[in-house]
Amino acid sequence: MRRYLYIKTFGCQMNVHDSEKMRALMENVGYGETADVKTADLVILNTCSIREKAAQKVYSQLGRLRALKRRKPGLIVGVGGCLAQQWGEKFVEKMPFVDFVVGTHNIHRLPGIVESVENTGIPVVETAFHQTVESLNLVAMPCNGRISAYITIMQGCDNFCSYCVVPHLRGKEESRAFEDVLEEVKILSGRGIKEVMLLGQNVNSYGNTTQGGCDFADLLYAIGRIPAIERIRFTTSHPKDIQDKLVACFSEVDSLCEHIHLPVQSGSNRILQMMNRCYTIDEYCTIVDKLRKACPDISITSDIIVGYPGETDKDFHETITMMEKIRFDSVFSFKYSDREGTAAYGLKGKVPESVKGKRLRTLQSLQDEHTLEKNTSMTGRTEEVIVEGISKNSGDDVYGRTRTNKIVNFRGDQGLIGKTVSVKITEAYLHSLRGILLSHREVTEC
Ligand code: 5AD
Ligand code: SF4
């Protein structure tokens, strides 16, 4: 009898992709997917614990699962991802309705873990770190009709930014072999994928742990030579590892999209040093200048934390000054959240929640002005858009993304999905653009 898996993903794109791998692994052993948790035989929460808020969302979901399991005792409940890695055994001790915990290095073992729970009913906890992360090489085949795919090129992180729990939960940095990544891109392009998103905690240091001396820029050049791949994106980058060779890719690799996500975290050199970020604001601005020189239309997005322990009004003001100078296309901004095990956890001078909240609101309203200004500057231009689906707001519209990663809505029908089209931008909003379809090209190569 076919069984059903319901999987809920929290957090970043790495987790979204890990969930795709879990789905593929379970599909191989007869588990189809269901979008309705009530019809599931197996529920997996793929969790995130980067900030307190992310972890809290997982706890409330677990509460709902406890109630569901009371009504359906045969249900198997598993927890994966960063919170699973962090809590390990404690999960099954404190929440006995959890049947298994699968850590970030053990995804490849999922089918065996589920089988063991099915056969014995005894909880399983697999959170050991391994020298080589086997799931790095798992290929999660996107379903037919998809045009975009994630590809993990490295995992783990050796940077130990003082606020960040990731290196403690994802382990040491490990890059995938160059040939393996290229092979996966080729397989995906043969299945109709036009756009690849290269994933890693710090993709610019790709190659540091592989033999053969190929670095991230070499990888971009190589993928750039695969004809069916129209767009290459990557995330996320660390400013300290942006080399001139990578900057040059933005003018030399045609399929590399004009967008970079480059977390700055703070505009204060004092705070950056405390965060162990290994660059100054002047160095960050120099990188931005180089990127804009190599690629004048590049969209630059960032992450900023407010209220790091010891952050003064002056430090925060320096963040605002830096934002005024750089004018990001958009920013993900966060209140500092204390994470056990990190270097910042024990620091004195914690900033009160009310001050963090006020700083966050100030920062976000300034960023809204900049985002709208950037989006407005695109009106009148003709943009290449790959159509992703029917608009959420109107069944008469479709939506897609520009190469700079901005959402565009325009009049169009189902038949355009997956096509690469030209759209004239007519209106700009904070979170999207509106346009008129000019033409579309059929892509015949396979
Ligand atoms: N508190 C707040 N924000 C954090 N981030 C990472 N750790 C923390 C923390 N403890 C943010 C950083 C990072 C993004 C993914 O999450 O800005 O770039
Ligand atoms: Fe965390 Fe810093 Fe590594 Fe990013 S680079 S995952 S912020 S430790």
Side-chain angles (χ1 to χ4, degrees):
M1 202 178 68
R2 192 145 168 85
R3 286 155 303 170
Y4 288 94
L5 160 71
Y6 174 88
I7 183 158
K8 181 152 180 74
T9 311
F10 300 81
C12 62
Q13 284 147 317
M14 296 283 279
N15 257 20
V16 172
H17 191 37
D18 281 348
S19 290
E20 289 176 349
K21 291 177 183 181
M22 291 184 193
R23 249 177 233 123
L25 285 167
M26 295 315 295
E27 173 74 43
N28 285 344
V29 292
Y31 273 88
E33 201 190 352
T34 171
D36 177 6
V37 68
K38 289 197 252 9
T39 61
D41 304 286
L42 167 65
V43 177
I44 302 176
L45 300 187
N46 192 11
T47 65
C48 170
S49 75
I50 196 153
R51 289 171 298 275
E52 182 60 28
K53 220 168 154 184
Q56 264 156 8
K57 282 189 199 159
V58 178
Y59 299 138
S60 42
Q61 186 71 27
L62 277 164
R64 285 192 282 275
L65 281 180
R66 180 193 283 127
L68 182 64
K69 186 143 174 174
R70 258 190 232 123
R71 294 197 297 277
K72 197 174 172 182
L75 179 70
I76 297 178
V77 175
V79 187
C82 286
L83 208 59
Q85 188 65 44
Q86 193 171 17
W87 270 44
E89 293 278 347
K90 274 194 258 167
F91 251 120
V92 285
E93 283 164 18
K94 290 196 175 173
M95 302 186 182
F97 64 95
V98 171
D99 295 292
F100 68 86
V101 177
V102 56
T104 53
H105 280 204
N106 293 281
I107 292 174
H108 62 289
R109 304 178 69 109
L110 183 64
I113 294 173
V114 173
E115 192 186 0
S116 163
V117 173
E118 282 171 343
N119 291 340
T120 68
I122 299 169
V124 179
V125 178
E126 295 257 7
T127 52
F129 273 164
H130 304 291
Q131 199 70 28
T132 316
V133 183
E134 282 190 42
S135 62
L136 254 184
N137 276 323
L138 287 175
V139 177
M141 279 301 173
C143 44
N144 283 339
R146 278 262 301 272
I147 42 128
S148 177
Y150 292 125
I151 299 180
T152 316
I153 63 165
M154 48 105 62
Q155 97 124 38
C157 180
D158 291 344
N159 288 320
F160 290 94
C161 300
S162 62
Y163 51 81
C164 186
V165 78
V166 168
H168 307 270
L169 303 179
R170 295 254 167 195
K172 284 190 72 59
E173 190 174 301
E174 183 188 344
S175 295
R176 261 178 95 186
F178 192 80
E179 299 71 29
D180 292 350
V181 176
L182 275 190
E183 187 53 32
E184 184 171 343
V185 179
K186 285 178 191 157
I187 293 172
L188 290 169
S189 73
R191 286 181 58 116
I193 290 297
K194 292 175 153 192
E195 179 178 274
V196 287
M197 169 69 100
L198 309 178
L199 292 178
Q201 306 297 345
N202 179 16
V203 289
N204 334 119
S205 64
Y206 171 82
N208 285 359
T209 64
T210 48
Q211 292 179 340
C214 290
D215 61 17
F216 184 54
D218 296 324
L219 188 64
L220 293 177
Y221 282 110
I223 299 176
R225 286 191 287 272
I226 300 175
I229 299 299
E230 294 178 28
R231 292 181 172 187
I232 310 173
R233 301 187 186 280
F234 60 84
T235 197
T236 184
S237 306
H238 195 305
K240 78 174 168 54
D241 294 312
I242 303 273
Q243 311 293 345
D244 289 349
K245 190 172 164 192
L246 173 61
V247 174
C249 289
F250 281 100
S251 46
E252 291 176 7
V253 179
D254 289 343
S255 48
L256 181 60
C257 286
E258 294 80 13
H259 172 224
I260 187 165
H261 185 67
L262 195 59
V264 63
Q265 310 298 3
S266 170
S268 154
N269 285 332
R270 198 180 73 85
I271 298 292
L272 286 174
Q273 196 176 15
M274 285 165 71
M275 287 176 162
N276 191 29
R277 290 292 289 177
C278 308
Y279 54 83
T280 63
I281 279 303
D282 278 353
E283 284 162 349
Y284 186 91
C285 289
T286 304
I287 297 167
V288 168
D289 289 346
K290 284 182 183 175
L291 286 163
R292 285 184 170 151
K293 198 158 168 229
C295 180
D297 288 336
I298 196 164
S299 146
I300 301 180
T301 57
S302 200
D303 292 345
I304 301 179
I305 298 174
V306 297
Y308 184 82
E311 185 188 70
T312 60
D313 283 342
K314 180 168 175 287
D315 293 314
F316 178 64
H317 189 69
E318 284 173 11
T319 296
I320 295 293
T321 309
M322 173 272 299
M323 289 171 66
E324 292 275 20
K325 184 169 173 200
I326 292 178
R327 302 184 107 75
F328 293 109
D329 285 73
S330 69
V331 163
F332 294 103
S333 48
F334 313 101
K335 289 194 255 182
Y336 168 78
S337 155
D338 230 2
R339 308 312 287 144
E340 207 175 334
T342 62
Y345 187 70
L347 289 183
K348 294 205 173 66
K350 296 277 153 65
V351 176
E353 278 304 308
S354 59
V355 176
K356 285 195 247 178
K358 196 162 168 245
R359 288 181 187 163
L360 193 70
R361 286 191 294 279
T362 306
L363 185 155
Q364 286 177 341
S365 66
L366 176 67
Q367 184 53 47
D368 285 354
E369 282 174 30
H370 294 170
T371 302
L372 195 57
E373 174 189 290
K374 292 270 174 191
N375 289 353
T376 305
S377 73
M378 293 182 75
T379 54
R381 288 172 50 157
T382 299
E383 291 287 321
E384 177 200 284
V385 173
I386 299 186
V387 184
E388 291 180 20
I390 299 290
S391 272
K392 287 165 192 83
N393 299 337
S394 160
D396 296 330
D397 290 343
V398 287
Y399 76 96
R401 266 164 225 271
T402 64
R403 290 174 58 94
T404 48
N405 208 31
K406 299 191 192 258
I407 301 265
V408 188
N409 291 290
F410 56 97
R411 194 77 3 141
D413 60 30
Q414 190 92 21
L416 287 172
I417 296 173
K419 301 248 159 52
T420 306
V421 301
S422 289
V423 176
K424 183 166 179 178
I425 306 300
T426 52
E427 286 160 71
Y429 306 98
L430 196 51
H431 300 295
S432 65
L433 302 166
R434 183 151 191 91
I436 296 169
L437 176 67
L438 296 181
S439 65
H440 74 266
R441 101 181 109 97
E442 297 285 348
V443 178
T444 47
E445 65 262 52
C446 203

